[in-house]
Amino acid sequence: MEKILVTRSSMPPMEEYVEEIKDLWESHWLTNMGVKHQRLEGMLKAYMQVKNIALCVNGHMSLETILSAMELKGEVITTPFTFVSTVNAIVRCGLKPVFCDINEKDYTIDTAQIERFITPNTTAIVPVHVYGHICNNEEIMRIARKYNLKIIYDAAHAFGVYEDGKSVAAYGDASIFSFHATKVFHTIEGGAIVYNDTGLKDRINNIKNFGITGEESVEYIGGNAKMNEFQAAMGICNLRHIDEEIGKRQKVYEEYLRCLDGVDDIVVWKIPDTVKYNYAYFPILIKGKKGIRDKVYDSLKNNNIFSRKYFYPIVSAYDCYKDIYHVEDTPVAQYVSEHILTLPMYADLTVEQVRYITESVKCIMKL
Ligand code: T4K
């Protein structure tokens, strides 16, 4: 039996990619904001309905770049139920993460609790649209306005998500996206910053290129976060197939729902009627005793099904953070991380595979 991994990168037709990269052999221009980079930026601006975008080498550097371009200082409120990148980027930019708990409904930041973490040192909120579940933007915006805070969304999982016809990329002062190979839309490795303030354009583009502002001038202490031409070419090809990609994922998702309907102790997030989802992940929350999720995870592995515990442990439990933070301070995040399991999800997952996965889950839960 072939291994079923948690995801599998979608590939455009090989001939299409080869055709797309051919002219790079003529131009010899391989990186540093070349023509493919510019073209993909234009295509993404239209697709994501945004006025400003900066492509980056990956999602992580997108977050570091925008945080430094905004010249933030002090404390930033975020959640520990995320990939470690979110928090590492905040810390690496000299900021202090302050952890707010998540809500039980969709695992995004619990907006009812944000205000109690605000101090005179708070300068921003970095909410995470985890799994592509949209945060309560209206409430986050109300709080940010009241306390004069910036909002930078970690939208790594949320490419192609819309609410009431509006792109998720339009929320906040800025959002970052990941275009990693494991994502709904990918550029092999890659990412992007979308942002409202057009005045930040030069600073962002300079910071992603070492802070260089001219042949003999460096105005910022930047890094190297540029997307190269081969990455951009992959993005151009993949973007042509994005509707098909999301459509196929939707079918997988619907099959999962059919197969898991009525199973006791398994909770699946319900897509709100107002949301056009991207079907990025298929997390299930397994209720019951602590340890049941691990039992399902291990047994699935024995059946050659490689689910993942995204996101366990929560970031505050990692060695590099555990002496500063306490997992008990965010009990919902802690509970969810111990009970969540992301089942395999990708466009080419077959109906038979979904049935095999869900039958395996059901059998294990009965034992
Ligand atoms: N913020 C959030 C909330 C994030 O989740 C992430 C990244 C970021 C920020 C940072 O964005 P990037 O800098 O990565 O653009 C994966 C991804 O590497 C990472 O992008 C993602 N989140 C995270 C949730 O998952 P791993 O360590 O779990 O990946 P890995 O190598 O175990 O791969 C998972 C599965 O994907 C494999 O079992 C098979 C499949 N796969 C993997 C690769 C590398 C493919 O099919 N093709 C591939 O090339 O982190």
Side-chain angles (χ1 to χ4, degrees), residues 307-355:
S307 62
R308 291 293 282 269
K309 302 175 198 174
Y310 292 136
F311 290 98
Y312 174 85
I314 54 174
V315 175
S316 42
Y318 283 122
D319 281 351
C320 53
Y321 293 116
K322 72 177 188 330
D323 295 336
I324 312 166
Y325 300 98
H326 305 285
V327 293
E328 311 82 54
D329 292 346
T330 51
V332 179
Q334 176 67 356
Y335 174 84
V336 173
S337 79
E338 285 171 351
H339 290 262
I340 205 91
L341 194 64
T342 42
L343 297 182
M345 167 54 93
Y346 48 89
D348 291 333
L349 200 65
T350 64
V351 166
E352 290 70 32
Q353 285 174 313
V354 173
R355 289 183 187 161

Side-chain angles (χ1 to χ4, degrees), residues 7-9 59-60 83 85 154 157 178 180 182-183 308 310:
T7 194
R8 188 163 76 156
S9 301
H60 179 86
F83 192 53
S85 164
D154 182 334
H157 305 167
S178 166
H180 183 261
T182 51
K183 299 297 188 292
R308 291 293 282 269
Y310 292 136

Side-chain angles (χ1 to χ4, degrees), residues 66-238:
I66 185 65
L67 291 174
S68 39
M70 284 184 166
E71 298 184 308
L72 297 170
K73 306 242 175 327
E75 295 169 11
V76 171
I77 298 172
T78 189
T79 66
F81 188 70
T82 182
F83 192 53
V84 69
S85 164
T86 317
V87 180
N88 284 359
I90 293 170
V91 175
R92 285 166 57 87
C93 287
L95 297 156
K96 182 179 171 211
V98 174
F99 291 124
C100 178
D101 210 348
I102 56 171
N103 73 68
E104 276 169 88
K105 205 173 88 226
D106 58 21
Y107 320 131
T108 65
I109 195 162
D110 181 358
T111 50
Q113 295 198 43
I114 294 177
E115 282 185 272
R116 76 183 172 91
F117 294 104
I118 296 174
T119 73
N121 297 326
T122 311
T123 52
I125 311 173
V126 176
V128 183
H129 297 306
V130 68
Y131 308 128
H133 302 176
I134 302 186
C135 299
N136 182 348
N137 180 55
E138 236 171 73
E139 188 54 16
I140 293 170
M141 214 161 57
R142 183 194 67 76
I143 297 167
R145 283 210 183 114
K146 183 169 163 192
Y147 297 94
N148 193 24
L149 308 176
K150 295 283 184 212
I151 309 167
I152 302 107
Y153 279 105
D154 182 334
H157 305 167
F159 185 82
V161 179
Y162 293 79
E163 191 177 34
D164 289 322
K166 191 172 154 190
S167 164
V168 71
Y171 293 156
D173 296 287
S175 299
I176 68 95
F177 290 82
S178 166
F179 302 154
H180 183 261
T182 51
K183 299 297 188 292
V184 172
F185 166 73
H186 78 84
T187 59
I188 309 171
E189 289 263 6
I193 306 163
V194 301
Y195 54 100
N196 279 340
D197 179 3
T198 308
L200 286 175
K201 186 174 188 270
D202 289 344
R203 189 136 31 117
I204 289 173
N205 286 328
N206 294 334
I207 287 176
K208 79 178 196 188
N209 188 26
F210 310 101
I212 294 173
T213 49
E215 246 183 273
E216 297 182 7
S217 62
V218 176
E219 286 178 40
Y220 312 104
I221 304 170
N224 182 357
K226 290 166 280 141
M227 177 182 283
N228 72 48
E229 291 291 273
F230 288 86
Q231 291 173 282
M234 182 60 97
I236 290 169
C237 295
N238 280 337

